[in-house]
Amino acid sequence: MTLSGSLLWASKTAAEWLNLRKGRRRDLPPALVTASRQLGDLVRGKDISSTTNAAQITIPQEGGRRLKAQLRLVRSTASGYFVIAELEIEGLSPETTRKLAPFRLTPTEIKVLDLITQGLSDREIGQRLFVSRPTVRTHIGRILGKLGVSSRLQAALLANSL
């Protein structure tokens, strides 16, 4: 990120989540720019290895979803720093969650369904939720049964269509 708050590089998914325009100047959400600057101010003139160099913020998104950004300040050269922001969409939209109510999914099943819609594997879901792969498979089986579908893809499509 430059001092103007523009982006140097982003993955395709991050660019979509941040609603960045292709080809033109790629402005970041003001909350992300402010947090990055504050993080830089915290460690200005200090050795970042001995200072807290991370921050987490939440950026509101359309449809009521929230984007979580974990920021880390990293020394890139002898004279400067850059910020790495790891992004994660938080939960299904409130509207989708409301529409899922008739299916009587538990809060954990809703979280697993959200991770399925993000394309995560059983292993990745287990790592995010700190549970074993067999536990993830059990949740997925119950989700498929409650939604009346036969595959993860159908469950993700149903959740996204709601």
Side-chain angles (χ1 to χ4, degrees), residues 103-132:
F103 296 103
R104 305 179 74 83
L105 297 175
T106 67
T108 302
E109 290 167 347
I110 290 172
K111 180 64 179 168
V112 170
L113 179 58
D114 175 45
L115 296 172
I116 290 170
T117 65
Q118 293 178 40
L120 273 63
S121 68
D122 291 356
R123 183 181 55 78
E124 292 167 324
I125 293 170
Q127 288 173 340
R128 292 266 179 103
L129 300 179
F130 304 101
V131 297
S132 69

Side-chain angles (χ1 to χ4, degrees), residues 92-105:
L92 296 169
S93 72
E95 181 181 345
T96 300
T97 302
R98 182 182 55 77
K99 289 180 179 179
L100 283 170
F103 296 103
R104 305 179 74 83
L105 297 175

Side-chain angles (χ1 to χ4, degrees), residues 61-157:
Q61 300 286 290
E62 292 179 17
R65 292 182 90 176
R66 296 184 306 182
L67 179 65
K68 292 190 317 188
Q70 178 72 35
L71 306 175
R72 287 179 293 146
L73 194 64
V74 180
R75 180 179 291 279
S76 63
T77 66
S79 62
Y81 300 94
F82 67 95
V83 174
I84 295 176
E86 295 180 40
L87 306 176
E88 178 182 342
I89 289 284
E90 186 179 86
L92 296 169
S93 72
E95 181 181 345
T96 300
T97 302
R98 182 182 55 77
K99 289 180 179 179
L100 283 170
F103 296 103
R104 305 179 74 83
L105 297 175
T106 67
T108 302
E109 290 167 347
I110 290 172
K111 180 64 179 168
V112 170
L113 179 58
D114 175 45
L115 296 172
I116 290 170
T117 65
Q118 293 178 40
L120 273 63
S121 68
D122 291 356
R123 183 181 55 78
E124 292 167 324
I125 293 170
Q127 288 173 340
R128 292 266 179 103
L129 300 179
F130 304 101
V131 297
S132 69
R133 285 181 18 193
T135 300
V136 172
R137 288 187 199 112
T138 298
H139 286 304
I140 291 172
R142 289 183 179 151
I143 291 166
L144 298 180
K146 288 179 179 182
L147 296 179
V149 297
S150 59
S151 73
R152 299 164 68 106
L153 177 60
Q154 289 175 332
L157 290 171

Side-chain angles (χ1 to χ4, degrees), residues 1-72:
M1 189 172 99
T2 66
L3 290 178
S4 65
S6 62
L7 189 67
L8 297 177
W9 180 86
S11 70
K12 181 179 177 183
T13 302
E16 289 172 6
W17 286 352
L18 294 170
N19 294 318
L20 301 175
R21 297 178 304 241
K22 289 186 177 181
R24 297 186 166 167
R25 184 169 179 230
R26 296 159 57 152
D27 294 326
L28 294 171
L32 189 55
V33 174
T34 300
S36 297
R37 287 187 178 148
Q38 289 172 344
L39 189 56
D41 289 344
L42 264 175
V43 298
R44 186 166 282 126
K46 299 178 183 175
D47 176 14
I48 65 169
S49 63
S50 64
T51 308
T52 301
N53 65 347
Q56 186 167 348
I57 62 167
T58 302
I59 304 168
Q61 300 286 290
E62 292 179 17
R65 292 182 90 176
R66 296 184 306 182
L67 179 65
K68 292 190 317 188
Q70 178 72 35
L71 306 175
R72 287 179 293 146

